[in-house]
């Protein structure tokens, strides 16, 4: 089993290039199936979630041609199957975006119902409410979601989401873009990846206005056409490296980013005592002196992202004073704090939504397990700051969303390796 082994204590220094956004790409790939014409997507991150979704669309008949590691050509003309295998949904929740795109194009789709996961129950009632408002019949049978446009084609409607949901907003945009008439989505998610999806669809001939604001207006079109599109930079990968600089007392420039997307992250880094300099497409984080305690609450965009909550908590374990982190998006996203406490952190979770962190002088390396993607990244950050060696198990979760995570950290001077055996661990410890 692959692990990361880290020798902590080196301040990270230098610059790192950020990949395309995983959560944007997960929406753009199903969007490519809304046309029979070829869609070329560049700046795709080479991470397992994306590769699994590409396999899923190939399995239903789409032609997927890899132009290079980060560029793919998708041809939806050959899609022949409207039902997506449970295996894909089990591996990657976002396969359910194929519901929106297949329903939108063919008036019919069947995808396994995604279950909850380690961070929360993650219901999909808002997706279903949206599909039904567009005139689809939605049946839940034997663990499958079957949707059919009752009149052959979906019909635009006025939809108000009771909960701000990235997934529901994306699924309904995908379904509504070729519906008959106009759709208005109120209380949508405003994340950069929602805007990216709208931009790609508009480049294919869609008419979507207001993505990124409180109301999205879609004028249904009869057909979409080919496009070439570049995925936006990954806000969360960038934020993770920014916090890696903070937690190690380093000086790191994250390059190929959109600084505007990083504002809530930048603002928290400034609160805890880091200097942050913004340039056109890069941001430099310099951590001088000890970190300071702060309060933070996760919120939908433009608030502080829940996907940065574990990395922020890892940094606050070393901040002077008492910090609180409130998780308002998912009900079970503090599981990893037990692992940080095993490294010497002092975190008390109250109820399921608040972590109270008493800053400590230092963390100690330990053998820990990544419970999920972002918590895994946070444990690596803690290991980079800790005294001694940290072994992180279950790095398959980290590989879901970070391309070459250890290689990029090595490029910043970190002492981290990916290993598969005890011998490799011993060899690293002798050399580090
Ligand atoms: C997306 O998940 C991201 N995934 C998540 O990133 C991210 O944590 C999350 O948005 C919040 O920003 C992708 O983009 C593929 P939601 P999603 O629907 O769409 C509740 C990562 O680490 N809700 O915005 O599943 C839900 O339970 C991942 O990259 C309903 O109640 O999140 C949650 O409490 C993890 N009913 C809240 O809304 C619904 O029908 C927000 O969830 C839908 C959601």
């Amino acid at each position: 089993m692959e692990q990361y082994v880290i020798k902590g204590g080196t301040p990270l220094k230098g610059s790192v290039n950020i990949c395309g956004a995983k959560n944007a790409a997960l929406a753009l790939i199903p969007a490519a199936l809304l046309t029979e014409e070829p869609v070329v997507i560049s700046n795709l991150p080479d991470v397992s979630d994306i590769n699994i979704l590409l396999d899923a669309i190939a399995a239903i008949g789409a032609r997927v041609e890899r132009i290079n590691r980060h560029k793919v050509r998708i041809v939806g003309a050959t899609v022949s199957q409207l039902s997506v295998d449970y295996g894909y949904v089990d591996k990657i929740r976002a396969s359910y975006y194929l519901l929106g795109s297949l329903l939108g194009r063919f008036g019919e789709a069947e995808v396994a119902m995604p279950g909850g996961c380690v961070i929360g129950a993650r219901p999909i009632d808002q997706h279903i409410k949206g599909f039904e408002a567009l005139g689809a019949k939605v049946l839940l049978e034997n663990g499958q979601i079957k949707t059919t446009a009752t009149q052959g084609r979906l019909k635009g409607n006025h939809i108000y989401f009771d909960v701000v949901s990235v997934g529901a907003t994306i699924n309904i945009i995908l379904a509504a873009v070729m519906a008959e008439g106009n759709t208005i989505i109120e209380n949508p998610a405003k994340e950069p990846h929602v805007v990216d999806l709208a931009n790609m669809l508009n480049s294919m001939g869609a008419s979507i206005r207001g993505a990124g604001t409180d109301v999205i207006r879609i004028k249904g079109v009869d057909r979409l056409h080919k496009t070439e599109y570049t995925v936006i930079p990954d806000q969360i990968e960038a934020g993770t490296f920014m916090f890696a600089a903070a937690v190690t007392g380093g000086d790191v420039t994250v390059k190929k980013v959109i600084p505007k997307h990083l504002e809530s992250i930048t603002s928290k880094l400034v609160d805890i005592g880091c200097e942050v300099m913004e340039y056109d497409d890069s941001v430099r984080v310099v951590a001088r002196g000890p970190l300071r305690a702060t309060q933070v609450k996760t919120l939908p965009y433009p608030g502080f992202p829940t996907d940065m909550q574990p990395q922020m908590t890892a940094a606050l374990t070393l901040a002077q004073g008492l910090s609180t982190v409130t998780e308002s998006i998912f009900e079970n996203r503090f599981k990893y704090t037990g692992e940080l406490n095993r490294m010497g952190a002092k975190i008390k979770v109250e109820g399921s939504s608040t972590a109270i962190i008493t800053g400590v002088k230092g963390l100690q390396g330990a053998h820990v397990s990544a419970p999920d993607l972002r918590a895994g990244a946070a444990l690596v950050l803690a290991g980079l700051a800790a005294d001694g060696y940290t072994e992180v198990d279950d790095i398959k979760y980290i590989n879901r969303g970070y391309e070459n995570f250890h290689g990029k950290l090595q490029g910043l001077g970190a002492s981290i390796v990916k290993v598969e055996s005890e011998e490799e661990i011993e060899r690293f410890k002798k050399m580090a």
Side-chain angles (χ1 to χ4, degrees):
M1 194 178 67
E2 286 185 335
Q3 279 181 315
Y4 283 146
V5 188
I6 303 157
K7 181 169 187 236
T10 311
L12 299 190
K13 287 205 160 50
S15 62
V16 59
N17 286 334
I18 298 306
C19 290
K22 170 193 72 113
N23 288 344
L26 288 173
L28 303 186
I29 292 167
L33 301 188
L34 284 164
T35 175
E36 295 192 347
E37 297 183 15
V39 171
V40 176
I41 306 177
S42 310
N43 203 29
L44 277 182
D46 182 9
V47 295
S48 61
D49 272 15
I50 297 300
N51 296 327
I52 292 167
L53 187 58
L54 290 171
D55 287 347
I57 64 163
I60 59 169
R63 229 169 44 231
V64 177
E65 293 163 26
R66 287 277 185 178
I67 298 171
N68 61 41
R69 185 176 181 192
H70 297 124
K71 190 169 181 177
V72 74
R73 184 170 183 268
I74 296 170
V75 186
T78 45
V79 170
S80 53
Q81 195 184 308
L82 304 182
S83 143
V84 181
D85 210 64
Y86 169 70
Y88 294 108
V89 181
D90 186 39
K91 286 196 195 114
I92 165 202
R93 271 183 85 76
S95 311
Y96 66 9
Y97 290 151
L98 292 169
L99 273 176
S101 67
L102 295 178
L103 179 65
R105 177 166 154 210
F106 298 101
E108 205 183 313
E110 181 175 338
V111 172
M113 170 90 177
C117 72
V118 70
I119 61 175
R122 306 182 79 174
I124 60 157
D125 54 301
Q126 298 303 303
H127 304 235
I128 293 172
K129 172 179 165 173
F131 292 143
E132 287 177 342
L134 294 173
K137 197 162 92 199
V138 182
L139 282 177
L140 301 179
E141 259 177 21
N142 307 109
Q144 296 288 112
I145 312 170
K146 294 182 187 172
T147 56
T148 319
T150 46
Q151 294 172 30
R153 183 179 174 190
L154 296 175
K155 263 201 159 44
N157 203 347
H158 197 131
I159 297 161
Y160 179 88
F161 285 133
D162 308 316
V163 179
V164 177
S165 161
V166 171
T169 305
I170 287 173
N171 241 336
I172 299 314
I173 292 176
L174 289 168
V177 77
M178 291 206 293
E180 195 184 326
N182 298 338
T183 297
I184 296 176
I185 307 176
E186 292 204 62
N187 200 25
K190 294 182 261 194
E191 265 68 4
H193 30 295
V194 171
V195 180
D196 209 33
L197 172 68
N199 286 342
M200 181 171 113
L201 287 169
N202 284 341
S203 77
M204 295 166 71
S207 171
I208 306 171
R209 285 186 298 131
T213 75
D214 290 324
V215 185
I216 299 177
R217 293 169 202 279
I218 302 172
K219 224 187 248 175
V221 294
D222 290 339
R223 58 179 295 275
L224 295 173
H225 54 71
K226 65 183 176 185
T227 192
E228 293 208 7
Y229 195 78
T230 302
V231 184
I232 51 163
D234 197 306
Q235 175 204 24
I236 306 301
E237 188 199 12
T240 302
F241 281 98
M242 290 163 79
F243 269 92
V247 76
T248 61
D251 178 349
V252 171
T253 302
V254 293
K255 289 185 163 172
K256 298 193 176 175
V257 297
I258 299 176
K260 173 104 187 94
H261 294 168
L262 301 171
E263 271 172 3
S264 63
I265 296 165
T266 297
S267 140
K268 279 297 151 194
L269 283 164
V270 171
D271 275 3
I272 63 173
C274 297
E275 210 181 316
V276 184
M277 285 144 275
E278 282 184 15
Y279 305 98
D280 285 349
D281 62 356
S282 62
V283 173
R284 178 175 169 199
V285 179
V286 184
R288 290 197 188 94
L291 301 177
R292 293 194 297 258
T294 193
Q295 275 75 50
V296 64
K297 183 176 182 181
T298 63
L299 288 169
Y301 190 84
F304 190 83
T306 173
D307 291 347
M308 283 302 301
Q309 180 260 96
Q311 303 88 314
M312 172 92 195
T313 301
L316 291 178
T317 63
L318 293 168
Q320 287 179 341
L322 201 67
S323 298
T324 56
V325 176
T326 306
E327 172 58 55
S328 80
I329 309 291
F330 291 111
E331 65 275 21
N332 195 21
R333 213 170 189 178
F334 281 125
K335 240 185 135 188
Y336 66 92
T337 54
E339 296 296 78
L340 287 177
N341 285 343
R342 293 180 52 241
M343 297 176 75
K346 278 199 181 146
I347 309 171
K348 208 169 134 220
V349 178
E350 289 201 339
S352 61
S353 65
T354 306
I356 298 170
I357 304 153
T358 308
V360 293
K361 288 226 154 49
L363 298 172
Q364 298 92 48
H367 191 153
V368 293
S369 287
D372 66 75
L373 165 60
R374 308 302 173 187
L379 292 173
V380 171
L381 263 47
L384 292 170
D387 284 336
Y389 295 96
T390 296
E391 290 170 39
V392 183
D393 286 353
D394 287 333
I395 63 169
K396 59 177 187 289
Y397 293 115
I398 300 175
N399 297 336
R400 291 184 64 161
Y402 293 91
E403 178 180 315
N404 189 23
F405 195 40
H406 66 291
K408 288 186 177 185
L409 289 167
Q410 284 166 355
L412 296 169
S415 193
I416 176 171
V417 283
K418 185 155 83 174
V419 297
E420 282 185 44
S421 66
E422 282 298 321
E423 295 78 65
E424 283 180 285
I425 298 176
E426 288 315 312
R427 209 174 312 137
F428 171 69
K429 286 186 176 172
K430 275 198 195 117
M431 286 171 55

